[in-house]
Amino acid sequence: MIAIYPGSFDPITLGHIDIIERGCKLFEKVIVAVLQNPSKTPLFAIEKRLNQIHYSTQHLSNVEVASFDGLAVNYAKMRQAKVLMRGLRVLSDFEKELQMAHTNKTLLSEIETVFLATSNEYSFLSSSVVKEIAIFGGSVDHLVPQHIAIDIYKCYDKIQPILNQQ
């Protein structure tokens, strides 16, 4: 069975990668589908995000990285996927994601949404948190893969922070 893991992944975090790795154990194929959202101004261009994700998931043989625009259910149908995979961190995520799952079901009755609870160490982590830390010069090395941390530091024209000076 094919699962679609849709999102903006701007940037992809270690929490996202954890969900992808765990999804790969459950499904024959996981398509990490990067949404092209014209209403958002991303930190990284779509091609850059695709490359970052591809590099971050190259150790997983059943992952494909692609982009799409429009509704996730339409993309899932086009790719013959039966599952939308979503990660849950906190209760507010559940409320939003459950509403979206019900909405998606009204749009495409054969689609199922599978929720994976985030691993404890990533329960606070989001792409927004990563960007906020980085913009103020904090280290994001423990939140994203190293190659992405370097890309983030370049975006904010910052040198890699030196932490743990005690």
Side-chain angles (χ1 to χ4, degrees):
M1 185 176 300
I2 299 171
I4 303 285
Y5 183 32
S8 59
F9 305 106
D10 185 41
I12 191 166
T13 69
L14 294 177
H16 292 129
I17 293 168
D18 177 59
I19 294 293
I20 294 166
E21 288 172 344
R22 291 167 48 216
C24 283
K25 294 175 186 172
L26 298 172
F27 301 103
E28 291 172 49
K29 182 182 209 174
V30 173
I31 301 172
V32 181
V34 181
L35 173 63
Q36 298 181 45
N37 188 342
S39 67
K40 288 190 177 181
T41 305
L43 180 61
F44 296 111
I46 193 83
E47 286 302 320
K48 181 71 170 177
R49 284 182 275 159
L50 292 170
N51 290 335
Q52 289 171 332
I53 297 165
H54 179 73
Y55 189 79
S56 300
T57 60
Q58 65 185 349
H59 64 288
L60 301 167
S61 62
N62 58 334
V63 168
E64 179 182 328
V65 181
S67 65
F68 75 103
D69 58 7
L71 297 173
V73 291
N74 290 343
Y75 183 70
K77 185 175 184 176
M78 183 186 81
R79 297 303 309 269
Q80 300 177 341
K82 300 294 182 198
V83 171
L84 293 176
M85 195 170 72
R86 302 297 297 158
L88 296 176
R89 294 169 298 190
V90 293
L91 186 58
S92 59
D93 282 354
F94 178 74
E95 292 172 355
K96 180 183 77 170
E97 293 293 347
L98 184 62
Q99 181 182 26
M100 185 58 65
H102 288 311
T103 302
N104 286 336
K105 197 76 164 158
T106 69
L107 296 170
L108 184 65
S109 62
E110 58 267 21
I111 199 76
E112 295 295 339
T113 301
V114 172
F115 300 114
L116 295 178
T118 189
S119 296
N120 287 340
E121 63 266 34
Y122 305 122
S123 62
F124 68 94
L125 186 54
S126 69
S127 296
S128 298
V129 165
V130 169
K131 290 184 276 194
E132 189 167 343
I133 290 169
I135 202 162
F136 290 109
S139 173
V140 296
D141 293 356
H142 61 297
L143 306 175
V144 297
Q146 187 59 43
H147 67 282
I148 295 173
I150 291 167
D151 289 342
I152 292 168
Y153 297 137
K154 287 177 186 173
C155 271
Y156 291 116
D157 200 26
K158 308 245 187 237
I159 58 170
Q160 186 169 351
I162 301 170
L163 294 182
N164 299 328
Q165 296 178 359
Q166 297 177 5

